[in-house]
Amino acid sequence: MTVVEPGRARLDERVIGAGTNSRFALLLLLLVAAGGYLLVPVLSALHPGDYRGCELAAGLDFDAAHAVAGATRMVGQALAFLPCVARYAPPPPLWQILAGPAVVVAVAAAATILLPLWKQRRGRCVRLNLVSGGSEIAARVEELAAGRVARMPELFMAPAVTTMSASVFGTNGRPRLLLNGGLVASRARDPQTFDAVVLHELGHIANRDLTITHATVALWRTFIVLVVTPFLLWWSGLGVFGIAAGARPALTAVSMRYLVLPVVTALVMYFARADVLRSRELYADLTAGRWGAPLEHVWAAMNTPAGRRSPYRSASILLDQVRTHPRWEIRRDTLDDPAPLFAVSPLLMFLTGASATLMNFHLMGHVSPHVGLLSDWLGQALAAVPAAVVGAATTTVLWRSVVRAAVLREPAPPGVRAGLWLGLGLIAGSLVSGQTTGDGWLPGRWWVLVLVVPVAVAFTCWTSQCARLAAAAWPGRSLRWPLALCLIAGWLILSAWFAWWNYHGAMYAAGFWYDPAGLRWTIVSWFPGVGTAHPDTTAVMAPTLNVLRYVAYQPLTPAAAVAAWVTPFALWAAGTAGGRPGWLHSRIAAGGDRAAADTAAPVAWPAPALRQATAPALTGAAIAAVGVAGIQAWLHTLHAAPGQRGGMYAFSYAIWSLGAIAAGTCAAALVAAASARFRLPSALIAAGMGALLGLGAATALISVDGCVEPLNVLNDTCSWRPAWRQLQGGNTFSLVAHVTLLMAPVTAVAATAPAAVFRLVRRAVRTEDGTAAPQAGATSAHSGAGRRYAGAMLTAAAIPGAALATAGVLTAGDAEAQFATKAHSVTVGAQNAFRQTAGLPVLPVSQDLRRQQVHAWYRLGGRSLLDHATGAGGSLARLLRPAMRDGRLEVTPDLMTRVRPMCQNMMNIATWEPVYFQVPDPVAQSSWHQFAVAVLSAGPKCVQAVDRTDADSFRTSVTEIMIAAVKTIDASDRIKAIIDDPSDPVYTGTPADPPQPRL
């Protein structure tokens, strides 16, 4: 049994929210997300269609080894695939998908309301006033409840239950207290036990945890009954039916996930439920203890054998995570020291990460059948839900741990261990859901998936450091406001991360990457104009900028990048001018119910002066400004001609300027990270301020380009030309601004990690040598208080305000494109750009599967296109044949007039080639592509020749069209040879028109 040291300050467990609400929200949101996602395959099975036919027509393979290449073919042919699915395999209506979660939540709400009625049913309990001697018992309960609970509970008794215990149920607005028969019988002979048990139950009422407790139990039972059980029965039944029909069972990754995913989700929900219920018991004990309940008297009678072997202790630790009530030993120790309520549980961190990933995957599954309705902002909104769960659960737990350490003058938890477990949970959830593995068992690039762990560690360390700053410097009498600020900022950071991970990070982990030559082409096409990069580093810049671009242009990335350093800056700058932090005066308990200000212990780690972070920022800004000026002087020596200063030349100017800003930001972060205390906040603030000031300096120097002759790059005359207009091509300046905001937190984290490792190693070496490890000085930020505090406030209102304004402008500028749905944003140009950068691989498949692919292409619209092309070519040949004289076409005005609509018709047919599926057979596709290219080139010439009455041009263009028409015959013959069955129904009847592409 833990004994509190004499004179040691003891922290009130109510100093910050318990975090049970966030864990209940995790249960609720996971239930909603899983309830909808697990319903999608069932609804899809009830809406049969030819989805497989669209996949075959797109040239997809169903082998897990080709999952990434198959997904690339699907995305690269989205203009055809989306309408094909919409016509031949329409997804379930959106209202049906959303009806699943709505029904589950409604049933859970009904169960929450009906559960108390079930517990007080006849035959189980009776009202206490109807029992002999019940009035005396009721009077004692009322005496114990007086002044302690706001609402007297309704009293019931369970006569048949002989245990000396009780329970509360109902809601916070209408509590009920059920006394077991054994407890009522012991009232006279053991009044201390009666009082302790009743006060413990009244503690639940005082803590207002009844509603959330019954809702938690109802959610769990509803999920098992309405979601998990029917889903498992459905897929098990399909498997049995398939085996009975003669199908060979295959334990693929996909089929296994359909069975494992609901089970794992249920386990995660169970552990989260058990954690919520255990916490409420400990809080009720502490509340009863403050009321003077003789809990030790009750626990002294409990048999808690000690000295067990290690295996028993290990098993007991594991069982502790399953139990809904803590062991008696834990409850005893918590009454003396509520340390377990402030501990950062590895299992809780792991479950938070796993549940967030599963929830994220489930939410994305809601919109996957209607992917055409998805936009960047809708995807961001979906990512914001798991981000809120992770942020709320993690931040509350870490802040409680840090605040406790501050009050007890103990070392603050750095957050590394919590981040490791959180990251492992995120990885586990990703592997179970298949988000990063596709149809396989393991990700294609495991190191991209491992990247999740350092990101999680960075987030938890950032959260812990923000808590340390608040504990060391916050002047208010409550930590609620700084906690709320940290929660909002953490939510922004995690929302931006999850949004990028959903669309790009998971895709890279699965094995997708871009074609290097295509990336170089993309860079050139992004920044049109005449000019050459100096030096030509396109091959290096292309993949880097491509990744940075997709990270920086997520809807919330600018705001998240700024919030990452503005939050610790605000907490640091808000430090008091002198004395202890204000929140300590009212939140430390010294054995009583509330702390007295005079007994408050000073905080363990006072915040140093803010110049620890601002001075390196000014240094970094100066380096950035000098670097941009140096780049201007260097590019000026190249003496580019006025007509050669656009395109890649202007792009290289912007990128090298961005490199100078990055150098200054990195220098600021490295200098600040070398500090002894608050290393990560210092690096973040220095990098954020340095990057913003560096961007401002670069903007000013580019805007006055032409006014200082040795620094002229784009202009030869002096005038104010805003940088965003000078570098307007390809939206270059916007790219520089987005990346500048993003690089600040990334650079700060990258600089802090080696600095922290180096300091740990140096401290370990000095300790081994017998040299005392250097201790952090007690330098306080409060000397010279008034002037320094006013300066900090002035800076806090200027630079962070400018950073937030910049993020707001960038977000508003991107809004139009980010609100566009995929159905509208997938255009011919976008599809061609994707094909250019990612390629459109031809999968190596068997001859039989190739025949199925070609057959599907021919059946779902390919035959219609070929028939129209060959028919139009034949009609044109029949029209031209009488006009041939000695091998030469005799052109007349009448012939030209009659041929013109045929040329236009051939062009209309050829325009389908870029937007419809490519022929899955490379030989047939080559002929079909040659036809389209030739006709789209010669067709306009034919029309223009007729309009100008140009006989020579008409003769040439018509000849080219007729040569191209032969290619359609070649493609058709090749396809028929592959199918090799003239009696196939695909040859009979009217051919199906291809679905209208989404343009």
Side-chain angles (χ1 to χ4, degrees), residues 303-605:
N303 183 22
T304 54
R308 296 279 188 175
R309 295 190 303 273
S310 179
Y312 174 83
R313 288 197 296 269
S314 300
S316 180
I317 292 173
L318 293 176
L319 289 175
D320 285 343
Q321 308 303 322
V322 180
R323 296 186 178 100
T324 56
H325 283 64
R327 287 183 290 114
W328 293 114
E329 301 94 315
I330 296 176
R331 298 177 68 170
R332 287 177 179 176
D333 294 343
T334 303
L335 193 64
D336 288 333
D337 182 6
L341 294 177
F342 293 89
V344 182
S345 168
L347 180 62
L348 177 60
M349 291 292 101
F350 182 86
L351 291 176
T352 300
S355 61
T357 305
L358 292 174
M359 188 188 310
N360 187 37
F361 180 77
H362 290 153
L363 288 173
M364 292 299 295
H366 281 69
V367 299
S368 59
H370 298 272
V371 67
L373 302 177
L374 192 63
S375 66
D376 288 346
W377 268 108
L378 178 57
Q380 182 68 82
L382 294 176
V385 177
V389 172
V390 174
T394 304
T395 302
T396 303
V397 169
L398 290 174
W399 270 62
R400 288 175 60 82
S401 179
V402 170
V403 168
R404 179 178 184 274
V407 172
L408 302 182
R409 298 183 59 80
E410 296 177 349
V416 176
R417 185 177 176 219
L420 288 173
W421 283 103
L422 178 65
L424 291 175
L426 292 170
I427 290 177
S430 180
L431 292 175
V432 170
S433 65
Q435 185 187 34
T436 56
T437 59
D439 296 335
W441 296 97
L442 296 173
R445 291 189 180 91
W446 61 268
W447 57 270
V448 177
L449 183 58
V450 173
L451 179 66
V452 173
V453 174
V455 170
V457 171
F459 174 74
T460 53
C461 289
W462 175 85
T463 304
S464 295
Q465 291 293 302
C466 287
R468 288 185 62 186
L469 281 172
W474 186 251
R477 298 184 66 82
S478 172
L479 291 176
R480 294 186 182 277
W481 285 110
L483 175 59
L485 177 63
C486 188
L487 282 169
I488 294 173
W491 171 75
L492 286 173
I493 294 169
L494 290 173
S495 295
W497 162 259
F498 275 115
W500 175 80
W501 182 258
N502 285 342
Y503 293 106
H504 303 287
M507 182 174 63
Y508 297 150
F512 174 81
W513 195 247
Y514 297 97
D515 177 67
L519 288 176
R520 292 193 293 272
W521 171 86
T522 303
I523 289 291
V524 176
S525 63
W526 273 351
F527 310 99
V530 180
T532 306
H534 294 282
D536 188 4
T537 56
T538 310
V540 177
M541 292 186 297
T544 304
L545 285 180
N546 198 63
V547 174
L548 286 176
R549 180 171 176 263
Y550 286 123
V551 179
Y553 278 85
Q554 294 300 317
L556 289 181
T557 296
V562 172
W565 65 269
V566 167
T567 300
F569 185 93
L571 296 175
W572 203 332
T576 54
R580 292 189 297 264
W583 66 273
L584 281 172
H585 291 255
S586 60
R587 287 299 182 183
I588 304 174
D593 184 48
R594 281 293 194 194
D598 297 335
T599 62
V603 73
W605 350 272

Side-chain angles (χ1 to χ4, degrees), residues 377 553 555 558-559 562 695 724 731 733-734 737-738 741 801-816 818:
W377 268 108
Y553 278 85
V562 172
L695 177 63
W724 48 91
N731 211 9
F733 184 80
S734 175
H738 275 87
L741 294 184
L804 291 172
T806 303
V809 170
L810 294 177
T811 302
D814 302 332
E816 182 178 357
Q818 292 171 346

Side-chain angles (χ1 to χ4, degrees), residues 713-730:
V713 178
L714 299 178
N715 307 287
D716 295 324
T717 59
C718 182
S719 178
W720 172 259
R721 304 176 182 90
W724 48 91
R725 293 183 181 173
Q726 293 244 57
L727 302 175
Q728 190 172 5

Side-chain angles (χ1 to χ4, degrees), residues 646-672:
M648 295 305 295
Y649 181 80
F651 170 71
S652 63
Y653 179 23
I655 294 304
W656 285 111
S657 299
L658 178 61
I661 299 173
T665 304
C666 184
L670 288 172
V671 173

